[in-house]
Amino acid sequence: VNTASRDLSIESLQGSYVAEFVQSERELLAALRVDDGAFLLADARVAELYPQIVAAFGTERVHRVAATEDEKTLSGVERCCLFLQERGASRASRLVVLGGGIVQDIGTFCAHVYYRGIPYEYVPTTLLSMADSSIGAKCAVNLGAYKNQLGFFQSPRRVLQWPGFLETLTPDDVRSGFGEILKLSITGGRQTYAVFEAHLKRFGFATSEVEPMIALSLGVKKPVIEADEYDRGIRKTLNYGHTFGHALESVTDHQVPHGLAVAWGVDLANFVAWRTGMWPEADFLRVHELIVTRFSLQVRAPYDAAALIAAMGKDKKASGSTVQTILPDSAWTLQLVPQQLGGQFQTLIEEFLKTFDPFLPGRR
Ligand SMILES: NC(=O)c1ccc[n+]([C@@H]2O[C@H](COP(=O)([O-])OP(=O)(O)OC[C@H]3O[C@@H](n4cnc5c(N)ncnc54)[C@H](O)[C@@H]3O)[C@@H](O)[C@H]2O)c1
Ligand SMILES: [Zn+2]
């Protein structure tokens, strides 16, 4: 067993911070060094499942929120700020944020605007947040009917990783987290993907074994966000699978968990890369096989290429009649490839849906 520390330091333009791994709830509590200046924003479900953490802060210092997209709004942020104000939090206070990506976004927003900013520390509790969103400093809340419209880049003081939280996660949330890990493993190149593939073969989605995969994902993401924290160039490649994944989420009315939609989007991106001569057929089939076996889902909402194209046109990253896709080339390097919505591109998507769609196995 490799007991070497997996701690990872991130160079951020707002000061560097460390993603620190702990091995038990007790170690987590010790690392948090809870004192009178610490307040906790907690996912209500996590607070209920892990009462000792709440107890360490004292109930009156804990603000519980439901992890829903409705809460991830300016009014949800306002409720959190009001809580801090009512409890007399000052500029010397700090906010500890405990939960998945939803609570992370509410907490980051609140900590950044309360008194023009108080320090915050993040304790991710879902696989998606441990392996992906906990580093990179992105923060966004929803506006009206649209997701992630208001936000900024803001780093935490530190991230505390305790994979023990994953024991209480639903199997779909675990699988969803693995979808983002799949994406990052291919982003890391052929070798990194081979490590991921071998891990799945050996351990499947066992949460007790997942820590090396969290470290692998963060290791792939770190150099990318450090090189381009503000998303002007290379960081856009982290959207691999997301242009298609978001479109699928939208046409299925969010029936598909995010990370599974990303896995589906990765498959479609790889298909487009293969059919446009960028990627070998064998590589497509190899990853496709894994996605079909591990990430498939029976989706009830019917969808087609035209609906997906229409949804892509509404994406906040689309401009006019073009959308950016991120496709692998033969060296397994991700490239930004603009696509004209419609025509040739739509025909390719139709072909994918008819022959390969991992979510509609009945159609095959
Ligand atoms: N800021 C970023 O960089 C970034 C990146 C990716 C996604 N996001 C956002 O993250 C959100 C999705 O986050 P998520 O997938 O982490 O899920 P989530 O925060 O929606 O949590 C998923 C579910 O798991 C529950 N839960 C959380 N931890 C648990 C635990 N340890 N045991 C049992 N149940 C637990 C929650 O209550 C919720 O019901 C989206 O809003 C997305 O936009 C943000
Ligand atoms: Zn994602």
Side-chain angles (χ1 to χ4, degrees):
V1 179
N2 179 9
T3 54
S5 167
R6 301 190 192 283
D7 297 358
L8 191 73
S9 150
I10 309 295
E11 301 302 320
S12 161
L13 297 169
Q14 300 145 13
S16 54
Y17 58 98
V18 177
E20 213 176 300
F21 283 83
V22 298
Q23 299 305 326
S24 65
E25 192 173 358
R26 186 135 57 91
E27 256 187 56
L28 172 68
L29 281 171
L32 280 173
R33 287 188 295 272
V34 179
D35 57 21
D36 287 355
F39 294 84
L40 180 69
L41 169 69
D43 180 317
R45 175 146 180 72
V46 177
E48 195 180 311
L49 289 165
Y50 302 87
Q52 291 181 38
I53 300 178
V54 174
F57 284 80
T59 314
E60 72 289 348
R61 287 173 175 280
V62 179
H63 181 52
R64 292 160 208 250
V65 294
T68 62
E69 294 290 343
D70 285 344
E71 195 65 33
K72 204 182 99 158
T73 53
L74 288 178
S75 27
V77 170
E78 184 178 21
R79 283 189 281 277
C80 183
C81 292
L82 278 170
F83 158 81
L84 290 176
Q85 187 186 51
E86 279 158 14
R87 303 301 146 107
S90 73
R91 294 180 72 167
S93 304
R94 68 190 161 107
L95 185 65
V96 174
V97 180
L98 175 73
I102 289 193
V103 178
Q104 175 188 359
D105 279 335
I106 302 167
T108 304
F109 209 114
C110 173
H112 184 53
V113 298
Y114 186 75
Y115 288 177
R116 293 199 194 87
I118 59 171
Y120 73 99
E121 297 167 30
Y122 181 43
V123 185
T125 64
T126 61
L127 185 52
L128 181 141
S129 56
M130 287 179 197
D132 184 9
S133 68
S134 60
I135 66 168
K138 275 194 184 177
C139 168
V141 300
N142 308 326
L143 180 68
Y146 296 91
K147 272 192 68 175
N148 297 336
Q149 303 288 299
L150 306 175
F152 40 73
F153 293 89
Q154 183 62 34
S155 294
R157 288 299 164 97
R158 64 178 175 158
V159 176
L160 283 164
Q161 299 265 14
W162 178 46
F165 282 118
L166 302 177
E167 301 302 325
T168 51
L169 215 56
T170 66
D172 260 358
D173 278 323
V174 171
R175 230 152 62 92
S176 177
F178 266 101
E180 294 280 11
I181 298 176
L182 162 78
K183 177 207 83 171
L184 284 166
S185 77
I186 302 175
T187 307
R190 189 190 285 277
Q191 236 89 56
T192 319
Y193 176 72
V195 172
F196 172 72
E197 192 185 49
H199 179 95
L200 278 194
K201 202 167 253 171
R202 181 149 178 223
F203 300 114
F205 293 141
T207 47
S208 54
E209 304 293 337
V210 77
E211 191 170 320
M213 290 299 102
I214 297 172
L216 175 141
S217 298
L218 298 178
V220 169
K221 188 170 176 178
K222 169 187 153 83
V224 180
I225 56 177
E226 287 180 343
D228 177 26
E229 186 164 11
Y230 295 145
D231 215 359
R232 301 204 169 104
I234 183 89
R235 185 170 180 171
K236 292 184 197 292
T237 59
L238 294 178
N239 276 319
Y240 177 41
H242 279 66
T243 309
F244 297 129
H246 285 147
L248 183 73
E249 288 178 275
S250 142
V251 300
T252 58
D253 224 359
H254 294 267
Q255 265 183 47
V256 182
H258 176 70
L260 293 185
V262 169
W264 181 95
V266 162
D267 201 30
L268 176 50
N270 295 351
F271 176 79
V272 173
W274 162 42
R275 301 289 280 111
T276 55
M278 284 179 69
W279 218 38
E281 178 178 12
D283 288 344
F284 166 71
L285 290 174
R286 173 182 174 188
V287 180
H288 175 70
E289 182 58 31
L290 179 137
I291 293 173
V292 169
T293 321
R294 304 281 181 178
F295 295 98
S296 71
L297 187 78
Q298 202 72 54
V299 180
R300 279 179 190 85
Y303 53 87
D304 60 17
L308 288 164
I309 296 264
M312 276 178 233
K314 288 194 200 114
D315 198 286
K316 71 173 181 274
K317 281 160 188 124
S319 56
S321 60
T322 348
V323 71
Q324 283 288 354
T325 56
I326 320 284
L327 310 180
D329 67 16
S330 55
W332 287 55
T333 304
L334 296 174
Q335 306 289 350
L336 270 70
V337 184
Q339 310 278 353
Q340 287 295 322
L341 291 169
Q344 187 69 29
F345 182 55
Q346 180 159 340
T347 310
L348 269 182
I349 296 176
E350 272 158 15
E351 197 191 324
F352 173 80
L353 295 182
K354 213 185 309 163
T355 320
F356 290 106
D357 189 345
F359 283 5
L360 294 167
R363 280 194 189 171
R364 239 179 284 145

